Amino acid sequence: MKDAILKETNKIKGLQLRAAGRASNLFWLGFGEMIPVTRRGEIEEVPEVALHIQCAWRVSTTSKILVASQDFYSPRSDWEEGVQDFDWDVSRSNRFDEQITAFLEVAAEKSVIAEVEVDSLGGLKILMSESYVLEVFPDSSNESEDWEFWRLFNRRKDSPHFVVSGNGVEYI
């Protein structure tokens, strides 16, 4: 598994971080050139390569976690409503939304993937310029076909998605 992951992730070395965000609690990052794609009948510009993460992760510098997977479930720093009124899945309401915006203001278009390290359990460590590090660490023993840790795919090539799960790796 480790060799297959390394082969696929080596393809993103040298690519520039372009965008990041979320769809519910799926964290996505976009790297490489901006390319046109058609979605719902409309053309939009998106990064060529996408990394979708559905397990524990964090983005850090040498001395600080900048944004992490548990930030989805905490209110923004300026949240003034009661805790019972907090809905983490509402756009721009949680700490992730706040922190990823701050991170992208300083890192997008400036950070390039310098190195990728992998482990035998599907974990990733992506070292970027400017001392940014993305660590992805699978955190479940679930081996269901419907459960995945992360996937990597190239939108330009319309190639299969490289998916890492508790069952190993596969192309979908």
Side-chain angles (χ1 to χ4, degrees):
M1 181 156 95
K2 185 175 178 179
D3 290 339
I5 294 172
L6 196 55
K7 178 183 172 194
E8 288 301 317
T9 56
N10 273 336
K11 295 175 184 176
I12 64 173
K13 282 185 188 177
L15 297 183
Q16 193 173 45
L17 173 65
R18 296 290 184 168
R22 71 179 177 99
S24 191
N25 64 351
L26 179 148
F27 176 40
W28 60 263
L29 296 103
F31 301 98
E33 291 181 43
M34 297 299 285
I35 63 167
V37 298
T38 303
R39 285 193 201 174
R40 297 179 200 99
E42 297 197 20
I43 296 176
E44 61 182 90
E45 294 277 313
V46 298
E48 178 179 4
V49 177
L51 174 62
H52 289 185
I53 303 168
Q54 292 184 275
C55 63
W57 57 269
R58 70 177 172 225
V59 175
S60 62
T61 61
T62 53
S63 61
K64 182 179 181 179
I65 295 174
L66 303 174
V67 60
S69 50
Q70 286 300 307
D71 290 340
F72 291 137
Y73 311 108
S74 298
R76 303 174 54 90
S77 62
D78 59 356
W79 184 259
E80 294 181 5
E81 307 295 322
V83 175
Q84 68 276 8
D85 296 325
F86 171 65
D87 182 353
W88 70 269
D89 206 15
V90 172
S91 180
R92 296 184 301 276
S93 70
N94 65 40
R95 184 163 176 76
F96 168 86
D97 297 330
E98 177 180 44
Q99 294 299 102
I100 201 66
T101 299
F103 170 65
L104 289 172
E105 285 176 3
V106 297
E109 311 294 326
K110 298 174 196 134
S111 294
V112 174
I113 298 173
E115 192 63 47
V116 180
E117 299 173 5
V118 303
D119 66 34
S120 60
L121 300 174
L124 287 176
K125 188 174 193 178
I126 298 176
L127 305 155
M128 294 179 261
S129 57
E130 312 297 321
S131 299
Y132 298 118
V133 178
L134 167 63
E135 294 175 272
V136 178
F137 30 101
D139 59 346
S140 174
S141 61
N142 193 333
E143 294 178 347
S144 165
E145 291 180 15
D146 299 328
W147 187 270
E148 69 183 58
F149 300 133
W150 57 271
R151 69 175 50 209
L152 184 66
F153 57 98
N154 187 313
R155 291 183 174 106
R156 182 188 309 269
K157 295 179 181 172
D158 198 26
S159 56
H161 293 200
F162 179 74
V163 178
V164 177
S165 70
N167 288 327
V169 299
E170 63 182 317
Y171 292 91
I172 299 178

